[in-house]
Amino acid sequence: MRRWDFVAAYLQGELEDGEVVYCRAPRGYETLGADGRARVCQIVKPVYGMAQAGRRWQRTLFPWLKEWGF
């Protein structure tokens, strides 16, 4: 096998222990807090387009590949 195509692969990674990532809410979902400032979302899994997503997927995939002899 030379190539695999993983659908939504970036969503299968895990953030490292203690890693905290925040982002702005998508357009149309913005809400204001009691202080009048825009709220943010805490990311619990890597998302496509996130700078760390590729690396997190790699850290999930490589141990599995080694275990299966690839």
Side-chain angles (χ1 to χ4, degrees):
M1 183 178 295
R2 292 182 175 212
R3 186 183 329 184
W4 290 345
D5 185 15
F6 292 95
V7 177
Y10 285 100
L11 301 176
Q12 305 306 316
E14 298 289 334
L15 294 176
E16 294 178 357
D17 289 337
E19 184 176 17
V20 181
V21 179
Y22 295 98
C23 73
R24 293 185 187 135
R27 206 172 303 152
Y29 290 95
E30 302 98 344
T31 59
L32 299 178
D35 58 0
R37 294 177 15 187
R39 292 185 180 200
V40 295
C41 301
Q42 182 177 358
I43 304 297
V44 294
K45 291 193 66 88
V47 212
Y48 184 78
M50 188 172 108
Q52 301 96 325
R55 180 72 176 132
R56 299 303 174 256
W57 169 235
Q58 180 184 9
R59 285 188 175 172
T60 301
L61 178 63
F62 281 15
W64 182 87
L65 290 173
K66 281 184 169 182
E67 180 182 324
W68 285 87
F70 289 97

